[in-house]
């Protein structure tokens, strides 16, 4: 049989390739493949020879993909795994480990973490590699809290009460990306003390607990409730390490408030602040206004909003703040749910009846017809409404529309009693249903005593731009002189 490397134009003609142009293309392609194969063979031979020489003379260089990163590392461990392995049939224990690993993988991925390694019942994960975010420390802590909760609800064989996990989290400078191991065991390693610290901190956590090091503690601000565990002597570390246990998320109005350590004087935004004040005067007079405040991340949008709130705080009015979140961009109406729970002062230990009473009290500030709104908002908040507020059966689409209507009615009810300032933070992360509520609310505030300030990043296009009562303020970067002044204030 004629091999591909020896095919001629006549051979191709006999095979049915009659067009001259096609025969030429095929012969050129075959020649190219032969050249590439020869070069590849020489390259493989050369690499083999170099590898032998290198192994005899010096260590191999590290993988070229390695890089220095400021990384947050999570180490998760299954509590009591040794006792479980002894008490269960190997097939049952294997099923438990599989469910545990699957829960860890899914939860870490939900917060954009990277599972680097499974070590029996231990799981090592990175936040900030390969994809970095502005809030990797926060993502790691939220993932840790969600993970221990998820593991606690995994199905277990008869005779096993429930599973518990514990988590340690540390942040620091590492070298990440070296490929080690072979085949299925190959992994991208991380070098530095950070993963060791995360593993040691995990041993301090109680079952179902999350413990963090000083570096992530500094990154969290007041976004979480923490318990100070004091200085801890950890194996392998010369000096004691401070540690904190994370109890859960804190109740804060906005990301800015959670991470603010005391605002400096506002610099370089006098014109934008003046425009906001003028829109507020229009809104107070009954000419409802919407302002889209846009700018890149960290440029000072929330800082300007805080300054504006301080300027108008002496005016009789009501203020409501809604915070959208990247962690809940697929949770319908999350900003409204979070705002109502915060304003109504819900507590974890509240019974459903106590929450229902708090909801009624809150809505009474906006309307005299509380029974018309409670059934829909209670359902949205997952509060059993009882027989007094029993809803007649409706299809899901109708229920959704009536819930949106109830939300808008409660907001406009406040505006009819006193001028209303509404602040929507980070609308670029809003879920689709929240966007729909804003679409309808913006149409309804014409002629109402409402100023709606929407904070958004410039890459997001909103359908409301261009309407007569909607204006836009785009924050540009500070001038060199203003930047110098700001630096001097911070210093």
């Amino acid at each position: 049989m004629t091999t591909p490397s020896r095919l001629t134009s006549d051979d191709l003609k006999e095979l049915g390739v009659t067009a001259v142009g096609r025969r030429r293309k095929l012969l050129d392609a075959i020649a190219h493949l032969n050249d590439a194969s020869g070069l590849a063979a020489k390259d493989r031979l050369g690499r083999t020879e170099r590898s032998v020489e290198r192994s005899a003379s010096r260590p191999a260089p590290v993988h070229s993909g390695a890089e220095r990163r400021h990384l947050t590392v999570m180490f998760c461990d299954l509590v009591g795994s040794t006792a479980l392995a002894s008490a269960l049939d190997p097939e049952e224990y294997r099923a438990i480990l599989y469910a545990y690993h699957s829960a860890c993988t899914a939860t870490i991925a939900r917060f954009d973490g990277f599972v680097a390694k499974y070590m029996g019942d231990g799981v090592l994960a990175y936040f900030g590699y390969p994809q970095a975010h502005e809030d990797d420390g926060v993502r790691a802590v939220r993932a840790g809290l969600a993970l221990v909760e998820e593991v606690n609800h995994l199905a277990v064989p008869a005779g096993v009460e429930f599973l518990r996990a514990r988590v340690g989290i540390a942040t620091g400078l590492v070298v990440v990306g070296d490929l080690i191991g072979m085949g299925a065991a190959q992994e991208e390693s991380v070098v530095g003390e950070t993963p060791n610290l995360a593993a040691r901190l995990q041993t301090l956590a109680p079952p179902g607990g999350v413990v963090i090091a000083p570096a992530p503690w500094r990154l969290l601000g007041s976004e979480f409730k923490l318990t100070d565990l004091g200085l801890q002597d950890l194996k392998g570390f010369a000096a004691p390490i401070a540690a904190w246990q994370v109890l859960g998320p804190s109740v804060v109005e906005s990301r800015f408030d959670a991470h603010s350590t005391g605002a400096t004087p506002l610099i370089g935004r006098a014109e934008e602040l003046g425009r906001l004040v003028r829109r507020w005067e229009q809104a107070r007079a009954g000419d409802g206004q919407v302002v889209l405040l846009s700018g890149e991340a960290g440029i000072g949008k929330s800082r300007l909003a805080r300054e504006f709130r301080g300027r108008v705080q002496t005016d009789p009015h009501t203020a409501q703040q809604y915070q959208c979140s990247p962690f809940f961009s697929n949770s319908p109406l999350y900003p409204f749910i979070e705002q109502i729970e915060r304003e109504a002062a819900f507590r974890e230990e509240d019974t459903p009846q106590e929450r229902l009473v708090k909801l009624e009290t809150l809505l009474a500030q906006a309307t005299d017809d509380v029974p018309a709104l409670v059934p829909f908002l209670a359902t949205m908040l997952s509060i059993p409404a009882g027989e007094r507020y029993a809803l007649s059966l409706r299809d899901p689409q109708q229920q959704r529309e009536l819930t949106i209507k109830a939300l808008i009615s409660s907001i406009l009810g406040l505006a009819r009693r006193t001028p209303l300032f509404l602040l929507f933070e980070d609308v670029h992360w809003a879920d689709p249903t929240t966007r729909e509520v804003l679409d309808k609310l913006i149409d309804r505030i014409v002629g109402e005593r409402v100023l709606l300030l929407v904070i958004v990043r410039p890459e997001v296009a909103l359908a409301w731009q261009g309407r007569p009562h909607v204006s836009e303020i785009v924050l540009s970067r500070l001038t060199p002189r203003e930047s110098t002044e700001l630096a001097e204030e911070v210093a």
Side-chain angles (χ1 to χ4, degrees), residues 319-334:
Q320 288 191 339
Q321 184 159 345
Y322 301 84
Q323 176 67 63
C324 303
S325 168
F327 310 117
F328 299 98
S329 57
N330 294 316
S331 300
L333 300 174
Y334 167 77

Side-chain angles (χ1 to χ4, degrees), residues 2-116:
T2 304
T3 62
S5 60
R6 297 178 180 177
L7 283 174
T8 65
S9 180
D10 291 336
D11 294 328
L12 292 174
K13 192 173 182 180
E14 289 180 8
L15 290 172
V17 184
T18 57
V20 175
R22 291 185 179 179
R23 291 203 300 272
R24 287 178 178 172
K25 287 181 180 179
L26 283 170
L27 289 172
D28 289 342
I30 290 169
H32 177 74
L33 286 173
N34 289 337
D35 291 342
S37 298
L39 288 173
K42 290 179 182 178
D43 184 61
R44 285 194 298 270
L45 179 59
R47 285 203 306 270
T48 302
E49 292 172 347
R50 288 193 299 272
S51 177
V52 173
E53 293 172 0
R54 186 174 57 227
S55 62
S57 60
R58 59 184 175 82
V62 297
H63 174 57
S64 61
E67 55 184 300
R68 293 169 67 91
R69 281 283 187 100
H70 197 73
L71 204 65
T72 297
V73 177
M74 171 199 288
F75 191 90
C76 178
D77 181 64
L78 187 62
V79 177
S81 58
T82 303
L84 275 176
S86 301
L88 296 176
D89 180 85
E91 289 291 335
E92 290 180 318
Y93 183 61
R94 173 181 173 275
I96 284 179
L97 274 185
Y98 178 79
Y100 162 69
H101 286 158
S102 298
C104 290
T105 301
T107 304
I108 291 167
R110 181 153 56 94
F111 292 91
D112 278 352
F114 173 73
V115 176

Side-chain angles (χ1 to χ4, degrees), residues 141-142 144-145 148 167 169 208-212 220 223-229 243-249:
V141 172
R142 285 190 174 272
L145 292 172
V148 295
V167 170
I169 297 173
V210 177
V211 171
I212 63 173
L220 299 182
E223 196 160 339
F224 296 90
K225 293 177 285 187
L226 305 170
T227 294
D228 190 347
L229 302 180
W244 291 262
Q245 182 180 347
V246 184
L247 303 180

Side-chain angles (χ1 to χ4, degrees), residues 77 168 255 293 300 318 342 430:
D77 181 64
R255 289 193 311 134
L293 180 58
T318 301
R342 175 168 31 86

Side-chain angles (χ1 to χ4, degrees), residues 396-438:
Q397 181 60 31
Q398 187 181 22
Q399 176 79 17
R400 179 174 177 275
E401 291 174 357
L402 290 172
T403 300
I404 291 175
K405 183 178 179 181
L407 277 171
I408 293 175
S409 295
S410 66
I411 292 171
L412 295 182
L414 284 172
R416 288 160 189 163
R417 299 188 175 194
T418 180
L420 179 61
F421 170 57
L422 297 175
L423 174 59
F424 257 88
E425 290 252 31
D426 298 324
V427 171
H428 42 274
W429 289 323
D431 61 273
T433 312
T434 293
R435 293 268 189 105
E436 183 178 344
V437 176
L438 285 173

